[in-house]
């Protein structure tokens, strides 16, 4: 039973490492989502600032604002697509983290169950040894008393 328990202890350490790696991946995915949403808000604010002052001193300034506005719209579309991808990655990381935690917890329960079984088996073995020796000596006494 001991090699099985030691093997489960090694597996539990591996599962713990996997769980920690998945937690780190989840945190990174969450941070990436937050950073992209922050950048999207910055782009929206910049776009509203650009469009709020429509007064143009000359045609070059108006042309530059129009070009900037077009680029900001393109950037907003691009970042929205990136945010959607990041959200999907975050959802995937959440599922992976949940699976790693579940696997770790089930391995931990199995290990504790096997440890309990090993302890009970050891106690049972010592009890049987004690009982066998006790019973052997009692049977010898009975046999001696029966012979008389």
């Amino acid at each position: 039973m001991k090699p099985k328990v030691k093997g489960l202890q090694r597996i539990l350490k591996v599962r713990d490492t996997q769980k920690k790696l998945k937690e780190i991946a989840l945190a990174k995915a969450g941070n990436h989502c937050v950073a992209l949403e922050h950048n999207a808000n910055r782009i929206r604010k910049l776009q509203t600032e650009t469009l709020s002052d429509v007064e143009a001193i000359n045609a070059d300034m108006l042309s530059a604002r129009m070009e900037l506005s077009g680029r900001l719209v393109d950037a907003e579309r691009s970042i929205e697509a990136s945010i959607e991808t990041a959200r999907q990655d975050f959802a995937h990381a959440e599922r992976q983290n949940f699976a790693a935690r579940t696997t770790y917890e089930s391995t931990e329960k199995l290990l504790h169950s096997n440890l309990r079984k090993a302890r009970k088996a050891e106690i049972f073995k010592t009890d049987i040894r004690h009982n066998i020796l006790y019973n052997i000596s009692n049977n010898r006494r009975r046999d001696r008393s029966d012979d008389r």
Side-chain angles (χ1 to χ4, degrees):
M1 196 64 133
K2 284 191 176 186
K4 189 174 183 180
V5 170
K6 289 191 179 205
L8 279 174
Q9 286 174 335
R10 283 192 299 271
I11 291 171
L12 186 64
K13 286 180 184 179
V14 170
R15 299 285 188 247
D16 185 49
T17 303
Q18 289 173 337
K19 183 180 78 156
K20 288 178 182 175
L21 288 172
K22 297 302 179 182
E23 288 171 352
I24 290 169
L26 179 64
K28 284 182 181 179
N31 290 341
H32 185 64
C33 280
V34 169
L36 287 175
E37 288 172 356
H38 178 71
N39 288 341
N41 287 335
R42 288 177 52 205
I43 288 173
R44 284 187 205 108
K45 286 179 184 177
L46 187 59
Q47 190 175 13
T48 56
E49 286 176 11
T50 303
L51 296 175
S52 65
D53 293 333
V54 182
E55 297 177 18
I57 297 174
N58 56 24
D60 292 335
M61 185 70 149
L62 182 60
S63 175
R65 282 190 181 191
M66 296 287 286
E67 184 179 344
L68 178 61
S69 178
R71 288 185 183 194
L72 289 173
V73 168
D74 292 341
E76 187 176 7
R77 285 187 201 133
S78 175
I79 205 157
E80 288 298 327
S82 296
I83 288 173
E84 186 60 34
T85 304
R87 285 182 182 153
Q88 290 172 358
D89 291 344
F90 181 74
H92 179 71
E94 278 184 324
R95 290 189 299 273
Q96 292 289 323
N97 186 34
F98 179 74
R101 273 188 288 126
T102 305
T103 305
Y104 174 80
E105 290 168 0
S106 63
T107 304
E108 187 177 34
K109 286 178 184 177
L110 183 63
L111 173 66
H112 291 304
S113 172
N114 284 349
L115 283 172
R116 271 188 254 115
K117 285 180 185 177
R119 285 186 197 119
K120 285 181 182 179
E122 283 295 319
I123 292 169
F124 184 71
K125 283 179 185 177
T126 57
D127 284 348
I128 286 181
R129 286 182 194 142
H130 175 69
N131 288 339
I132 289 173
L133 294 176
Y134 177 75
N135 290 332
I136 288 173
S137 65
N138 281 343
N139 288 337
R140 284 183 187 164
R141 285 183 199 152
R142 261 193 241 141
D143 290 342
R144 285 183 200 154
S145 66
D146 289 341
D147 288 340
R148 291 186 198 163

